[in-house]
């Protein structure tokens, strides 16, 4: 069972990484084609399977924490550290995908620029 869990975890992490980049780079025609090539029924089946497994895992952790609370707490803390590390890794990879190492302007930056532009057009006064 341990080997199977490790294999499934590795496959899901690789799938997450691939789908993450596919979703992030939808501006390119190649990426847009990859998204449109997906079988959405298959994606929904995967989502259902992951949702079911997620619910089962929470029930398992609840039962395990009743029997070994300290061990489960340590595992949860280690998981949080790994999760933050993964998010930082994704961020580093994302920054590396741009030729000038600058990510595109974020939504918040776009909104802020639009507001500044409108205010500049009205003599710096809000309506």
């Amino acid at each position: 069972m341990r080997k199977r869990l490790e294999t499934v975890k590795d496959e899901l992490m690789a799938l997450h990484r691939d789908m993450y980049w596919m979703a992030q780079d939808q501006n390119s025609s190649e990426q847009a084609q990859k998204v449109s090539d997906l079988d959405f029924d298959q994606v929904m089946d995967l989502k259902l399977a992951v949702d079911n497994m997620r619910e089962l895992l929470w029930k398992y952790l609840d039962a395990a924490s009743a029997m070994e609370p300290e061990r489960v707490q340590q595992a949860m803390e280690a998981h949080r550290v790994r999760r933050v590390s993964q998010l930082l890794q994704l961020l580093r990879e994302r920054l590396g995908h741009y030729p000038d190492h600058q990510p595109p302007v974020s939504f918040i930056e776009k909104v802020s620029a639009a507001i500044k532009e409108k205010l500049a057009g009205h003599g710096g006064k809000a309506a």
Side-chain angles (χ1 to χ4, degrees):
M1 183 63 89
R2 286 181 183 202
K3 178 66 175 159
R4 191 171 179 194
L5 286 172
E6 186 71 23
T7 301
V8 169
K9 175 198 63 102
D10 291 344
E11 286 293 321
L12 283 173
M13 289 177 75
L15 181 62
H16 174 265
R17 192 171 31 256
D18 293 346
M19 291 184 82
Y20 176 87
W21 289 117
M22 189 182 302
Q24 291 299 318
D25 295 334
Q26 288 185 15
N27 293 335
S28 77
S29 60
E30 180 182 332
Q31 290 301 90
Q33 184 62 43
K34 286 181 182 179
V35 169
S36 66
D37 286 345
L38 287 176
D39 177 351
F40 291 106
D41 288 331
Q42 190 177 29
V43 172
M44 292 306 296
D45 288 345
L46 175 62
K47 182 191 178 313
L48 178 62
V50 169
D51 289 346
N52 289 340
M53 183 54 101
R54 186 178 174 97
E55 182 181 338
L56 176 67
L57 289 172
W58 277 116
K59 288 177 182 178
Y60 172 82
L61 290 172
D62 285 342
S65 67
M67 294 187 297
E68 299 183 63
E70 289 178 19
R71 188 171 169 204
V72 171
Q73 184 63 32
Q74 289 172 348
M76 294 293 281
E77 288 174 15
H79 168 75
R80 287 185 199 104
V81 169
R82 282 193 309 271
R83 182 72 179 141
V84 169
S85 297
Q86 289 172 347
L87 291 173
L88 291 172
Q89 178 66 29
L90 279 173
L91 178 61
R92 188 172 65 119
E93 288 175 10
R94 180 174 184 192
L95 291 174
H97 271 72
Y98 301 100
D100 58 359
H101 297 290
Q102 293 297 320
V105 177
S106 73
F107 174 75
I108 299 297
E109 291 169 321
K110 287 178 184 177
V111 170
S112 294
I115 290 170
K116 286 178 185 177
E117 182 180 312
K118 290 289 184 186
L119 288 175
H122 293 297
K125 297 179 183 174

